Amino acid sequence: PYYCAPEIIHASQHKDSFYDNRIDVWAFGCTIYELYYNRKTFEANDFDQLVHMIFNVKPYYGDKISTDFKQFLSACISCPN
């Protein structure tokens, strides 16, 4: 569930919503984040906490990441409102 895109969570809770190929960009961003930082984008003790973090918490980037790479990851791991 750590790579579960916000669109999938939303669609599971609202039967009239849908998702598209943006979910793949989210999963790709989470994978790149994990490869770079050696940690999950969002870490949680349970699924409800993970959902809360996905929708409400911005990922940690630190200050050693380049601006371009941070913008790239932010674009991949952005939660639509």
Side-chain angles (χ1 to χ4, degrees):
Y2 288 102
Y3 305 107
C4 190
E7 294 88 350
I8 292 176
I9 296 167
H10 189 266
S12 72
Q13 297 171 346
H14 303 92
K15 298 303 175 196
D16 61 336
S17 62
F18 66 94
Y19 52 87
D20 56 22
N21 62 352
R22 288 176 287 184
I23 64 170
D24 296 328
V25 174
W26 173 275
F28 175 72
C30 288
T31 303
I32 297 299
Y33 183 99
E34 187 172 349
L35 288 169
Y36 184 80
Y37 288 103
N38 197 30
R39 61 180 265 188
K40 304 266 188 280
T41 310
F42 300 102
E43 297 199 34
N45 295 322
D46 58 44
F47 188 70
D48 289 336
Q49 185 182 25
L50 181 62
V51 168
H52 171 78
M53 293 183 74
I54 288 171
F55 282 100
N56 298 296
V57 177
K58 293 188 184 282
Y60 168 80
Y61 293 109
D63 57 354
K64 295 183 180 181
I65 187 173
S66 73
T67 302
D68 289 339
F69 190 47
K70 181 179 177 182
Q71 288 175 341
F72 169 76
L73 281 178
S74 288
C76 292
I77 309 169
S78 63
C79 185
N81 295 327

